[in-house]
Amino acid sequence: MRKMDYQNVRGTADYLPEAEGIRRKVRNTLEDVFIQYGCKPLETPILNYSDLLASKYGGGAEILKEMYVLSDRGERDLALRYDLTIPYAKVVAMNPTLKMPFKRYEIGKVFRDGPIKKGRMREFTQCDVDVTGVDSCAAEAELIMMALDAFDRLEMEVIIQYNNRKLLAGMLESFGIPPEKSGEVILVLDKLEKIGLEACEEELKKKGLSVVALKETKQFILDSPTCLEYFSPYIEKKHIDL
């Protein structure tokens, strides 16, 4: 009888007691902070209908290529969740009687069938905190304070960078990028830190943008002191493996 070759599926890992003890200590610390700010715990299914998980990006996102898809005995199209945001939105939609504002946190495993490298697994734990039912920026300010408190308890020094998607979408529109394409463009710009300016520029060209729109977008990144300072290592192709 051939001896079985024991090994983990690529992109997954076992956490032995010492490592798992640290992970649980971090988790407990985070949960203590979230509860202090009035957030309620939530747990959502790992398994979802694939069309639900595909709804967020309208079929144009790279992340949809990384979904683990499968079917059950009833031939229903299913998928493993790749983040915690869509399952949370589903909960809010299915429960209209939830008292607003609704503040929830969830810590759970998500799955992405993407390339494996240092710091990038296919099965990993994600931590989300969201506030629903508040129109002002007060909720966002509270979330920033919550994050600072959490990292302070973990004795970690951090810099929090805040961005506003609506502001970015408005700027892209001023560059001549149609509103219906802004989502796709933002997804490409999100990868600037990982792949560098030239690679992003090549991807944007494939989106069918005008020459003027491409030029304006690139020039904005180069002219902005904040963007240039933050992204200069990547613009110069000095890639950092995180």
Side-chain angles (χ1 to χ4, degrees), residues 52-70:
L52 171 70
L53 295 180
S55 63
K56 181 180 180 183
Y57 296 102
E62 291 289 328
I63 198 171
L64 298 184
K65 299 176 183 178
E66 299 182 356
M67 276 202 311
Y68 278 100
V69 295
L70 62 152

Side-chain angles (χ1 to χ4, degrees), residues 181-196:
K181 285 187 174 290
S182 64
E184 296 180 38
V185 173
I186 289 174
L187 287 170
V188 174
L189 294 180
D190 281 344
K191 298 189 289 185
L192 182 58
E193 179 183 350
K194 295 181 180 179
I195 66 177

Side-chain angles (χ1 to χ4, degrees), residues 11-124:
T12 67
D14 296 313
Y15 297 96
L16 298 181
E18 183 177 356
E20 181 59 19
I22 296 173
R23 284 161 52 88
R24 295 197 181 196
K25 182 178 180 180
V26 170
R27 178 177 181 137
N28 291 339
T29 301
L30 294 175
E31 288 187 320
D32 287 345
V33 174
F34 300 156
I35 293 170
Q36 177 186 333
Y37 278 80
C39 298
K40 306 295 184 182
L42 182 71
E43 183 172 347
T44 57
I46 290 173
L47 194 61
N48 294 267
Y49 288 109
S50 58
D51 58 352
L52 171 70
L53 295 180
S55 63
K56 181 180 180 183
Y57 296 102
E62 291 289 328
I63 198 171
L64 298 184
K65 299 176 183 178
E66 299 182 356
M67 276 202 311
Y68 278 100
V69 295
L70 62 152
S71 61
D72 61 11
R73 294 183 181 183
E75 298 184 354
R76 287 171 282 262
D77 294 326
L78 308 175
L80 302 182
R81 66 186 182 192
Y82 53 79
D83 71 8
L84 301 176
T85 303
I86 298 179
Y88 171 59
K90 177 208 65 179
V91 168
V92 174
M94 290 177 60
N95 296 273
T97 60
L98 284 173
K99 184 178 179 180
M100 298 294 171
F102 181 56
K103 303 164 69 173
R104 84 83 169 88
Y105 73 87
E106 182 172 6
I107 303 174
K109 287 192 173 183
V110 297
F111 304 84
R112 297 186 185 182
D113 186 14
I116 302 169
K117 57 183 180 180
K118 186 178 180 181
R120 176 74 181 260
M121 304 289 282
R122 288 176 172 167
E123 176 190 67
F124 56 96

Side-chain angles (χ1 to χ4, degrees), residues 104-171:
R104 84 83 169 88
Y105 73 87
E106 182 172 6
I107 303 174
K109 287 192 173 183
V110 297
F111 304 84
R112 297 186 185 182
D113 186 14
I116 302 169
K117 57 183 180 180
K118 186 178 180 181
R120 176 74 181 260
M121 304 289 282
R122 288 176 172 167
E123 176 190 67
F124 56 96
T125 300
Q126 199 170 73
C127 174
D128 269 21
V129 182
D130 286 284
V131 181
T132 302
V134 178
D135 292 331
S136 73
C137 293
E140 295 182 0
E142 184 181 53
L143 289 172
I144 292 174
M145 289 302 302
M146 189 188 309
L148 289 172
D149 283 351
F151 284 113
D152 185 56
R153 291 199 194 184
L154 293 172
E155 299 180 350
M156 297 176 63
E157 294 186 7
V158 298
I159 296 176
I160 293 181
Q161 296 177 323
Y162 173 80
N163 67 72
N164 188 304
R165 192 181 182 93
K166 290 182 180 179
L167 176 62
L168 180 56
M171 294 181 68

